[in-house]
Amino acid sequence: MNIAAAANEDMASISNVLIYSAMAVYTLAFLAHITEWVFGSRSKVGRAAAALTQHAVTASPAAVTVTATRKAGGTTVLERAEVTTRSATGSRDVPDGPGAAGGDEKGELYGRIAISLTVLAFLVHLGGVVARTLSVQRAPWGNMYEFSTTFSLVAVGGYLLFLALGKNIRWIGLPLVTSVLLDLGLAVTVLYTDSDQLVPALHSYWLWIHVSCAIISGAMFYLGALATVLYLFRDRYETKLASPQGKQPGTAASSILGRLPAAASLDKFAYRINAVIFPLWTFTIIAGAIWAEAAWGRYWGWDPKETWSFITWVAYACYLHARATAGWKGRKAAYLVLIAFACFIFNYYGVNMFITGLHSYAGV
């Protein structure tokens, strides 16, 4: 037993070292992402794309008229094409920005370095979570520290998976890595708990099923929330560009927001993530109810955690229903989905740390 306990302590120490090492590599990735954006702001391509966006804000499929003039000697000379733009009712025909690198060669280089560092940090981070699993001999999400480290791991893994599938979402890398650093910093300082065994109610294979689904759902909801926040900024930017006499965006705003995807693209990306992951969140609640019956003899008891899980489910259901039936798009839908994600965050931090219930396993 002493040998086994010593081995578990060693694995716990290795896990801590790996988590701190992952934070260091994430910091390097953060700096590389910052550098990518800095070089991209100097790019002529980035400025040209911003100008194109401003020109296309009021455009729908453009009608191009080519006029010809005859010069002396009977030679026909084609003049430059005259582009007539018309906007579709209630929509903007705005091209996506050139991306964080802005088309700059050095910006692109640093962007690739940032992704490589993010992959390295993810692998080290994964090693830390696996080492924690070996040290506790169970699923590595029995308290808030373990949940937080796994949550951020899954969020980064989802981001890298999208990139591997060819999705051009490198624009989300900087806010994602920044928030992952904040999450891990909070985990290792405020939420840290030594390796320990679970309370009897949690000794079940449902821990692997229910909590893993909650982590995956939350991580994907988080990516959707990030895209929604960026959408709100980009939408306001496009609105200013579309205003002929209104206040135009400043240089800094144009340099950053002009390189993001169009507001419509960001809105669509967020909607698709939330729509795809919502059934998994539904299953998470169902699995929790089944586990509750096995542990406590009832499927549902309106425990604070159960109540806020249900509130979160209702909020996301309202968002998806509004998008599908009422035609809600744009800012109204964005505010609704951010409220839904705020319910998820409160369910995690608020309920675990400040409300006493059967699910009080924060460990802090």
Side-chain angles (χ1 to χ4, degrees), residues 217-260:
S217 299
M220 295 302 102
F221 282 149
Y222 175 60
L223 291 181
L226 277 182
T228 300
V229 171
L230 293 176
Y231 158 79
L232 290 173
F233 284 105
R234 173 73 188 202
D235 181 68
R236 186 174 297 277
Y237 168 76
E238 291 180 6
T239 300
K240 288 183 177 181
L241 290 180
S243 177
Q245 299 177 345
K247 183 179 179 181
Q248 294 297 299
T251 303
S254 298
S255 173
I256 297 172
L257 299 177
R259 284 180 277 159
L260 291 174

mmCIF file of all heavy atoms in Angstrom, residues 217-260:
data_model
loop_
_atom_site.group_PDB
_atom_site.id
_atom_site.type_symbol
_atom_site.label_atom_id
_atom_site.label_comp_id
_atom_site.label_asym_id
_atom_site.label_seq_id
_atom_site.Cartn_x
_atom_site.Cartn_y
_atom_site.Cartn_z
ATOM 1 N N SER A 217 -19.854 19.140 -23.867
ATOM 2 C CA SER A 217 -20.910 20.097 -24.196
ATOM 3 C C SER A 217 -20.492 21.510 -23.817
ATOM 4 O O SER A 217 -20.621 22.447 -24.614
ATOM 5 C CB SER A 217 -22.202 19.723 -23.456
ATOM 6 O OG SER A 217 -22.664 18.450 -23.833
ATOM 7 N N GLY A 218 -19.979 21.668 -22.597
ATOM 8 C CA GLY A 218 -19.576 22.996 -22.149
ATOM 9 C C GLY A 218 -18.453 23.586 -22.973
ATOM 10 O O GLY A 218 -18.458 24.781 -23.288
ATOM 11 N N ALA A 219 -17.479 22.758 -23.343
ATOM 12 C CA ALA A 219 -16.352 23.249 -24.140
ATOM 13 C C ALA A 219 -16.816 23.724 -25.517
ATOM 14 O O ALA A 219 -16.359 24.767 -26.018
ATOM 15 C CB ALA A 219 -15.297 22.153 -24.283
ATOM 16 N N MET A 220 -17.734 22.980 -26.132
ATOM 17 C CA MET A 220 -18.241 23.393 -27.443
ATOM 18 C C MET A 220 -19.150 24.609 -27.333
ATOM 19 O O MET A 220 -19.120 25.498 -28.184
ATOM 20 C CB MET A 220 -18.978 22.226 -28.101
ATOM 21 C CG MET A 220 -18.083 21.029 -28.450
ATOM 22 S SD MET A 220 -16.713 21.458 -29.576
ATOM 23 C CE MET A 220 -15.341 21.544 -28.404
ATOM 24 N N PHE A 221 -19.970 24.646 -26.282
ATOM 25 C CA PHE A 221 -20.774 25.849 -26.042
ATOM 26 C C PHE A 221 -19.858 27.063 -25.877
ATOM 27 O O PHE A 221 -20.195 28.176 -26.297
ATOM 28 C CB PHE A 221 -21.627 25.688 -24.781
ATOM 29 C CG PHE A 221 -22.864 24.845 -24.973
ATOM 30 C CD1 PHE A 221 -23.367 24.093 -23.915
ATOM 31 C CD2 PHE A 221 -23.533 24.806 -26.189
ATOM 32 C CE1 PHE A 221 -24.515 23.326 -24.073
ATOM 33 C CE2 PHE A 221 -24.680 24.034 -26.366
ATOM 34 C CZ PHE A 221 -25.172 23.300 -25.296
ATOM 35 N N TYR A 222 -18.705 26.840 -25.260
ATOM 36 C CA TYR A 222 -17.762 27.933 -25.051
ATOM 37 C C TYR A 222 -17.210 28.454 -26.374
ATOM 38 O O TYR A 222 -17.112 29.673 -26.575
ATOM 39 C CB TYR A 222 -16.621 27.465 -24.151
ATOM 40 C CG TYR A 222 -15.543 28.496 -23.971
ATOM 41 C CD1 TYR A 222 -15.828 29.732 -23.415
ATOM 42 C CD2 TYR A 222 -14.238 28.238 -24.377
ATOM 43 C CE1 TYR A 222 -14.851 30.688 -23.266
ATOM 44 C CE2 TYR A 222 -13.253 29.187 -24.227
ATOM 45 C CZ TYR A 222 -13.562 30.416 -23.665
ATOM 46 O OH TYR A 222 -12.579 31.366 -23.526
ATOM 47 N N LEU A 223 -16.862 27.554 -27.288
ATOM 48 C CA LEU A 223 -16.400 27.994 -28.614
ATOM 49 C C LEU A 223 -17.501 28.787 -29.314
ATOM 50 O O LEU A 223 -17.236 29.803 -29.967
ATOM 51 C CB LEU A 223 -15.986 26.786 -29.453
ATOM 52 C CG LEU A 223 -14.730 26.031 -29.017
ATOM 53 C CD1 LEU A 223 -14.453 24.869 -29.965
ATOM 54 C CD2 LEU A 223 -13.518 26.959 -28.964
ATOM 55 N N GLY A 224 -18.733 28.322 -29.175
ATOM 56 C CA GLY A 224 -19.850 29.057 -29.761
ATOM 57 C C GLY A 224 -20.017 30.429 -29.136
ATOM 58 O O GLY A 224 -20.314 31.413 -29.827
ATOM 59 N N ALA A 225 -19.811 30.519 -27.817
ATOM 60 C CA ALA A 225 -19.926 31.806 -27.136
ATOM 61 C C ALA A 225 -18.829 32.767 -27.580
ATOM 62 O O ALA A 225 -19.071 33.966 -27.772
ATOM 63 C CB ALA A 225 -19.882 31.603 -25.622
ATOM 64 N N LEU A 226 -17.603 32.260 -27.745
ATOM 65 C CA LEU A 226 -16.517 33.099 -28.234
ATOM 66 C C LEU A 226 -16.843 33.663 -29.617
ATOM 67 O O LEU A 226 -16.657 34.857 -29.882
ATOM 68 C CB LEU A 226 -15.216 32.302 -28.304
ATOM 69 C CG LEU A 226 -14.386 32.156 -27.028
ATOM 70 C CD1 LEU A 226 -13.123 31.366 -27.321
ATOM 71 C CD2 LEU A 226 -14.039 33.510 -26.434
ATOM 72 N N ALA A 227 -17.333 32.795 -30.505
ATOM 73 C CA ALA A 227 -17.694 33.247 -31.846
ATOM 74 C C ALA A 227 -18.818 34.271 -31.781
ATOM 75 O O ALA A 227 -18.845 35.236 -32.574
ATOM 76 C CB ALA A 227 -18.112 32.054 -32.708
ATOM 77 N N THR A 228 -19.743 34.108 -30.842
ATOM 78 C CA THR A 228 -20.860 35.046 -30.709
ATOM 79 C C THR A 228 -20.382 36.412 -30.239
ATOM 80 O O THR A 228 -20.843 37.450 -30.742
ATOM 81 C CB THR A 228 -21.896 34.484 -29.722
ATOM 82 O OG1 THR A 228 -22.384 33.233 -30.204
ATOM 83 C CG2 THR A 228 -23.069 35.442 -29.563
ATOM 84 N N VAL A 229 -19.459 36.441 -29.279
ATOM 85 C CA VAL A 229 -18.918 37.718 -28.819
ATOM 86 C C VAL A 229 -18.201 38.436 -29.966
ATOM 87 O O VAL A 229 -18.385 39.652 -30.175
ATOM 88 C CB VAL A 229 -17.955 37.496 -27.634
ATOM 89 C CG1 VAL A 229 -17.214 38.787 -27.295
ATOM 90 C CG2 VAL A 229 -18.728 36.993 -26.415
ATOM 91 N N LEU A 230 -17.401 37.687 -30.729
ATOM 92 C CA LEU A 230 -16.725 38.290 -31.881
ATOM 93 C C LEU A 230 -17.740 38.769 -32.910
ATOM 94 O O LEU A 230 -17.535 39.807 -33.563
ATOM 95 C CB LEU A 230 -15.765 37.276 -32.504
ATOM 96 C CG LEU A 230 -14.562 36.882 -31.652
ATOM 97 C CD1 LEU A 230 -13.738 35.802 -32.341
ATOM 98 C CD2 LEU A 230 -13.692 38.092 -31.342
ATOM 99 N N TYR A 231 -18.828 38.026 -33.053
ATOM 100 C CA TYR A 231 -19.890 38.449 -33.976
ATOM 101 C C TYR A 231 -20.450 39.815 -33.588
ATOM 102 O O TYR A 231 -20.678 40.681 -34.453
ATOM 103 C CB TYR A 231 -21.017 37.410 -34.006
ATOM 104 C CG TYR A 231 -22.317 37.995 -34.474
ATOM 105 C CD1 TYR A 231 -22.559 38.217 -35.830
ATOM 106 C CD2 TYR A 231 -23.295 38.389 -33.557
ATOM 107 C CE1 TYR A 231 -23.735 38.798 -36.264
ATOM 108 C CE2 TYR A 231 -24.473 38.967 -33.978
ATOM 109 C CZ TYR A 231 -24.695 39.173 -35.331
ATOM 110 O OH TYR A 231 -25.861 39.768 -35.754
ATOM 111 N N LEU A 232 -20.691 40.020 -32.298
ATOM 112 C CA LEU A 232 -21.269 41.290 -31.857
ATOM 113 C C LEU A 232 -20.351 42.460 -32.202
ATOM 114 O O LEU A 232 -20.818 43.515 -32.659
ATOM 115 C CB LEU A 232 -21.540 41.243 -30.355
ATOM 116 C CG LEU A 232 -22.684 40.320 -29.907
ATOM 117 C CD1 LEU A 232 -22.726 40.225 -28.388
ATOM 118 C CD2 LEU A 232 -24.017 40.806 -30.452
ATOM 119 N N PHE A 233 -19.049 42.281 -31.988
ATOM 120 C CA PHE A 233 -18.099 43.337 -32.346
ATOM 121 C C PHE A 233 -18.049 43.546 -33.858
ATOM 122 O O PHE A 233 -18.053 44.686 -34.337
ATOM 123 C CB PHE A 233 -16.705 42.999 -31.818
ATOM 124 C CG PHE A 233 -16.539 43.218 -30.350
ATOM 125 C CD1 PHE A 233 -16.508 42.153 -29.473
ATOM 126 C CD2 PHE A 233 -16.419 44.496 -29.837
ATOM 127 C CE1 PHE A 233 -16.362 42.344 -28.113
ATOM 128 C CE2 PHE A 233 -16.267 44.716 -28.470
ATOM 129 C CZ PHE A 233 -16.241 43.632 -27.607
ATOM 130 N N ARG A 234 -17.998 42.460 -34.614
ATOM 131 C CA ARG A 234 -17.914 42.570 -36.067
ATOM 132 C C ARG A 234 -19.198 43.175 -36.639
ATOM 133 O O ARG A 234 -19.148 43.985 -37.576
ATOM 134 C CB ARG A 234 -17.666 41.174 -36.657
ATOM 135 C CG ARG A 234 -17.728 41.110 -38.179
ATOM 136 C CD ARG A 234 -16.533 41.728 -38.863
ATOM 137 N NE ARG A 234 -16.746 41.811 -40.301
ATOM 138 C CZ ARG A 234 -15.789 41.906 -41.213
ATOM 139 N NH1 ARG A 234 -14.530 41.935 -40.835
ATOM 140 N NH2 ARG A 234 -16.072 41.971 -42.492
ATOM 141 N N ASP A 235 -20.344 42.810 -36.083
ATOM 142 C CA ASP A 235 -21.610 43.354 -36.572
ATOM 143 C C ASP A 235 -21.680 44.859 -36.362
ATOM 144 O O ASP A 235 -22.132 45.601 -37.246
ATOM 145 C CB ASP A 235 -22.771 42.658 -35.863
ATOM 146 C CG ASP A 235 -24.117 43.151 -36.343
ATOM 147 O OD1 ASP A 235 -24.473 42.886 -37.509
ATOM 148 O OD2 ASP A 235 -24.838 43.820 -35.558
ATOM 149 N N ARG A 236 -21.239 45.314 -35.199
ATOM 150 C CA ARG A 236 -21.226 46.764 -34.953
ATOM 151 C C ARG A 236 -20.250 47.459 -35.904
ATOM 152 O O ARG A 236 -20.521 48.564 -36.390
ATOM 153 C CB ARG A 236 -20.838 47.029 -33.494
ATOM 154 C CG ARG A 236 -20.934 48.492 -33.094
ATOM 155 C CD ARG A 236 -20.677 48.663 -31.603
ATOM 156 N NE ARG A 236 -21.685 47.981 -30.816
ATOM 157 C CZ ARG A 236 -22.878 48.504 -30.520
ATOM 158 N NH1 ARG A 236 -23.193 49.707 -30.976
ATOM 159 N NH2 ARG A 236 -23.722 47.829 -29.781
ATOM 160 N N TYR A 237 -19.134 46.818 -36.176
ATOM 161 C CA TYR A 237 -18.151 47.365 -37.123
ATOM 162 C C TYR A 237 -18.765 47.514 -38.512
ATOM 163 O O TYR A 237 -18.630 48.561 -39.160
ATOM 164 C CB TYR A 237 -16.940 46.435 -37.148
ATOM 165 C CG TYR A 237 -15.956 46.671 -38.270
ATOM 166 C CD1 TYR A 237 -15.064 47.736 -38.241
ATOM 167 C CD2 TYR A 237 -15.902 45.802 -39.367
ATOM 168 C CE1 TYR A 237 -14.152 47.941 -39.255
ATOM 169 C CE2 TYR A 237 -14.994 45.998 -40.392
ATOM 170 C CZ TYR A 237 -14.122 47.066 -40.332
ATOM 171 O OH TYR A 237 -13.222 47.271 -41.350
ATOM 172 N N GLU A 238 -19.461 46.473 -38.966
ATOM 173 C CA GLU A 238 -20.083 46.536 -40.289
ATOM 174 C C GLU A 238 -21.198 47.578 -40.328
ATOM 175 O O GLU A 238 -21.403 48.237 -41.348
ATOM 176 C CB GLU A 238 -20.626 45.159 -40.675
ATOM 177 C CG GLU A 238 -19.540 44.127 -40.938
ATOM 178 C CD GLU A 238 -20.112 42.770 -41.318
ATOM 179 O OE1 GLU A 238 -21.351 42.671 -41.491
ATOM 180 O OE2 GLU A 238 -19.324 41.808 -41.432
ATOM 181 N N THR A 239 -21.920 47.723 -39.222
ATOM 182 C CA THR A 239 -22.979 48.730 -39.164
ATOM 183 C C THR A 239 -22.408 50.127 -39.313
ATOM 184 O O THR A 239 -22.978 50.982 -40.014
ATOM 185 C CB THR A 239 -23.743 48.611 -37.839
ATOM 186 O OG1 THR A 239 -24.323 47.310 -37.727
ATOM 187 C CG2 THR A 239 -24.852 49.657 -37.752
ATOM 188 N N LYS A 240 -21.269 50.377 -38.671
ATOM 189 C CA LYS A 240 -20.626 51.686 -38.814
ATOM 190 C C LYS A 240 -20.156 51.921 -40.242
ATOM 191 O O LYS A 240 -20.274 53.025 -40.782
ATOM 192 C CB LYS A 240 -19.450 51.796 -37.846
ATOM 193 C CG LYS A 240 -19.864 51.945 -36.389
ATOM 194 C CD LYS A 240 -18.648 52.122 -35.499
ATOM 195 C CE LYS A 240 -19.070 52.337 -34.034
ATOM 196 N NZ LYS A 240 -17.898 52.531 -33.148
ATOM 197 N N LEU A 241 -19.625 50.874 -40.870
ATOM 198 C CA LEU A 241 -19.185 51.022 -42.254
ATOM 199 C C LEU A 241 -20.360 51.313 -43.186
ATOM 200 O O LEU A 241 -20.218 52.027 -44.172
ATOM 201 C CB LEU A 241 -18.473 49.752 -42.724
ATOM 202 C CG LEU A 241 -17.097 49.456 -42.126
ATOM 203 C CD1 LEU A 241 -16.545 48.169 -42.711
ATOM 204 C CD2 LEU A 241 -16.128 50.606 -42.387
ATOM 205 N N ALA A 242 -21.510 50.742 -42.866
ATOM 206 C CA ALA A 242 -22.684 50.908 -43.723
ATOM 207 C C ALA A 242 -23.343 52.264 -43.545
ATOM 208 O O ALA A 242 -24.173 52.656 -44.365
ATOM 209 C CB ALA A 242 -23.705 49.808 -43.434
ATOM 210 N N SER A 243 -22.990 52.981 -42.477
ATOM 211 C CA SER A 243 -23.604 54.276 -42.208
ATOM 212 C C SER A 243 -22.881 55.367 -42.985
ATOM 213 O O SER A 243 -21.716 55.660 -42.698
ATOM 214 C CB SER A 243 -23.560 54.571 -40.706
ATOM 215 O OG SER A 243 -24.074 55.843 -40.429
ATOM 216 N N PRO A 244 -23.528 55.995 -43.962
ATOM 217 C CA PRO A 244 -22.829 56.986 -44.789
ATOM 218 C C PRO A 244 -22.437 58.244 -44.024
ATOM 219 O O PRO A 244 -21.450 58.892 -44.343
ATOM 220 C CB PRO A 244 -23.834 57.297 -45.898
ATOM 221 C CG PRO A 244 -25.167 56.976 -45.286
ATOM 222 C CD PRO A 244 -24.927 55.820 -44.361
ATOM 223 N N GLN A 245 -23.222 58.598 -43.011
ATOM 224 C CA GLN A 245 -22.937 59.816 -42.276
ATOM 225 C C GLN A 245 -22.624 59.562 -40.805
ATOM 226 O O GLN A 245 -22.390 60.493 -40.053
ATOM 227 C CB GLN A 245 -24.144 60.770 -42.372
ATOM 228 C CG GLN A 245 -24.458 61.183 -43.802
ATOM 229 C CD GLN A 245 -25.689 62.061 -43.866
ATOM 230 O OE1 GLN A 245 -26.451 62.139 -42.916
ATOM 231 N NE2 GLN A 245 -25.877 62.732 -44.996
ATOM 232 N N GLY A 246 -22.654 58.312 -40.407
ATOM 233 C CA GLY A 246 -22.413 57.977 -39.006
ATOM 234 C C GLY A 246 -20.933 57.972 -38.678
ATOM 235 O O GLY A 246 -20.061 58.215 -39.511
ATOM 236 N N LYS A 247 -20.653 57.646 -37.425
ATOM 237 C CA LYS A 247 -19.279 57.584 -36.959
ATOM 238 C C LYS A 247 -18.601 56.349 -37.519
ATOM 239 O O LYS A 247 -19.061 55.229 -37.340
ATOM 240 C CB LYS A 247 -19.261 57.556 -35.439
ATOM 241 C CG LYS A 247 -17.854 57.562 -34.844
ATOM 242 C CD LYS A 247 -17.913 57.565 -33.333
ATOM 243 C CE LYS A 247 -16.514 57.542 -32.740
ATOM 244 N NZ LYS A 247 -16.545 57.525 -31.251
ATOM 245 N N GLN A 248 -17.503 56.537 -38.201
ATOM 246 C CA GLN A 248 -16.774 55.433 -38.797
ATOM 247 C C GLN A 248 -15.842 54.787 -37.771
ATOM 248 O O GLN A 248 -15.389 55.449 -36.829
ATOM 249 C CB GLN A 248 -15.955 55.923 -39.998
ATOM 250 C CG GLN A 248 -16.813 56.405 -41.160
ATOM 251 C CD GLN A 248 -17.660 55.297 -41.747
ATOM 252 O OE1 GLN A 248 -17.151 54.303 -42.234
ATOM 253 N NE2 GLN A 248 -18.975 55.475 -41.687
ATOM 254 N N PRO A 249 -15.563 53.486 -37.916
ATOM 255 C CA PRO A 249 -14.678 52.816 -36.954
ATOM 256 C C PRO A 249 -13.277 53.380 -37.006
ATOM 257 O O PRO A 249 -12.803 53.848 -38.044
ATOM 258 C CB PRO A 249 -14.716 51.352 -37.408
ATOM 259 C CG PRO A 249 -15.131 51.398 -38.839
ATOM 260 C CD PRO A 249 -16.057 52.571 -38.950
ATOM 261 N N GLY A 250 -12.596 53.343 -35.866
ATOM 262 C CA GLY A 250 -11.244 53.855 -35.792
ATOM 263 C C GLY A 250 -10.247 52.936 -36.470
ATOM 264 O O GLY A 250 -10.576 51.833 -36.916
ATOM 265 N N THR A 251 -9.005 53.382 -36.506
ATOM 266 C CA THR A 251 -7.959 52.612 -37.172
ATOM 267 C C THR A 251 -7.723 51.276 -36.479
ATOM 268 O O THR A 251 -7.583 50.236 -37.127
ATOM 269 C CB THR A 251 -6.643 53.414 -37.194
ATOM 270 O OG1 THR A 251 -6.871 54.667 -37.840
ATOM 271 C CG2 THR A 251 -5.558 52.655 -37.939
ATOM 272 N N ALA A 252 -7.690 51.293 -35.143
ATOM 273 C CA ALA A 252 -7.445 50.057 -34.399
ATOM 274 C C ALA A 252 -8.572 49.062 -34.634
ATOM 275 O O ALA A 252 -8.329 47.867 -34.851
ATOM 276 C CB ALA A 252 -7.303 50.362 -32.914
ATOM 277 N N ALA A 253 -9.812 49.546 -34.592
ATOM 278 C CA ALA A 253 -10.951 48.654 -34.815
ATOM 279 C C ALA A 253 -10.922 48.072 -36.217
ATOM 280 O O ALA A 253 -11.182 46.875 -36.417
ATOM 281 C CB ALA A 253 -12.265 49.402 -34.582
ATOM 282 N N SER A 254 -10.610 48.892 -37.196
ATOM 283 C CA SER A 254 -10.541 48.403 -38.577
ATOM 284 C C SER A 254 -9.428 47.378 -38.742
ATOM 285 O O SER A 254 -9.581 46.384 -39.453
ATOM 286 C CB SER A 254 -10.309 49.578 -39.541
ATOM 287 O OG SER A 254 -11.386 50.491 -39.485
ATOM 288 N N SER A 255 -8.295 47.617 -38.066
ATOM 289 C CA SER A 255 -7.165 46.705 -38.186
ATOM 290 C C SER A 255 -7.498 45.324 -37.639
ATOM 291 O O SER A 255 -7.073 44.311 -38.193
ATOM 292 C CB SER A 255 -5.959 47.275 -37.440
ATOM 293 O OG SER A 255 -4.900 46.349 -37.408
ATOM 294 N N ILE A 256 -8.289 45.278 -36.552
ATOM 295 C CA ILE A 256 -8.611 44.002 -35.917
ATOM 296 C C ILE A 256 -9.874 43.393 -36.503
ATOM 297 O O ILE A 256 -9.878 42.269 -37.008
ATOM 298 C CB ILE A 256 -8.757 44.185 -34.397
ATOM 299 C CG1 ILE A 256 -7.418 44.646 -33.790
ATOM 300 C CG2 ILE A 256 -9.215 42.891 -33.745
ATOM 301 C CD1 ILE A 256 -7.512 45.030 -32.334
ATOM 302 N N LEU A 257 -10.958 44.163 -36.453
ATOM 303 C CA LEU A 257 -12.256 43.618 -36.849
ATOM 304 C C LEU A 257 -12.358 43.405 -38.355
ATOM 305 O O LEU A 257 -13.096 42.535 -38.809
ATOM 306 C CB LEU A 257 -13.370 44.559 -36.381
ATOM 307 C CG LEU A 257 -13.443 44.762 -34.869
ATOM 308 C CD1 LEU A 257 -14.521 45.772 -34.510
ATOM 309 C CD2 LEU A 257 -13.691 43.443 -34.161
ATOM 310 N N GLY A 258 -11.600 44.181 -39.122
ATOM 311 C CA GLY A 258 -11.635 44.020 -40.568
ATOM 312 C C GLY A 258 -11.041 42.717 -41.050
ATOM 313 O O GLY A 258 -11.252 42.323 -42.194
ATOM 314 N N ARG A 259 -10.304 42.027 -40.179
ATOM 315 C CA ARG A 259 -9.689 40.764 -40.572
ATOM 316 C C ARG A 259 -10.486 39.549 -40.114
ATOM 317 O O ARG A 259 -10.135 38.422 -40.448
ATOM 318 C CB ARG A 259 -8.257 40.690 -40.016
ATOM 319 C CG ARG A 259 -7.294 41.553 -40.801
ATOM 320 C CD ARG A 259 -5.899 41.467 -40.225
ATOM 321 N NE ARG A 259 -5.727 42.372 -39.101
ATOM 322 C CZ ARG A 259 -4.782 42.217 -38.172
ATOM 323 N NH1 ARG A 259 -3.988 41.173 -38.224
ATOM 324 N NH2 ARG A 259 -4.668 43.080 -37.200
ATOM 325 N N LEU A 260 -11.532 39.785 -39.334
ATOM 326 C CA LEU A 260 -12.383 38.675 -38.910
ATOM 327 C C LEU A 260 -13.300 38.237 -40.045
ATOM 328 O O LEU A 260 -13.507 38.975 -41.010
ATOM 329 C CB LEU A 260 -13.240 39.110 -37.712
ATOM 330 C CG LEU A 260 -12.520 39.346 -36.386
ATOM 331 C CD1 LEU A 260 -13.509 39.898 -35.367
ATOM 332 C CD2 LEU A 260 -11.888 38.066 -35.872
#
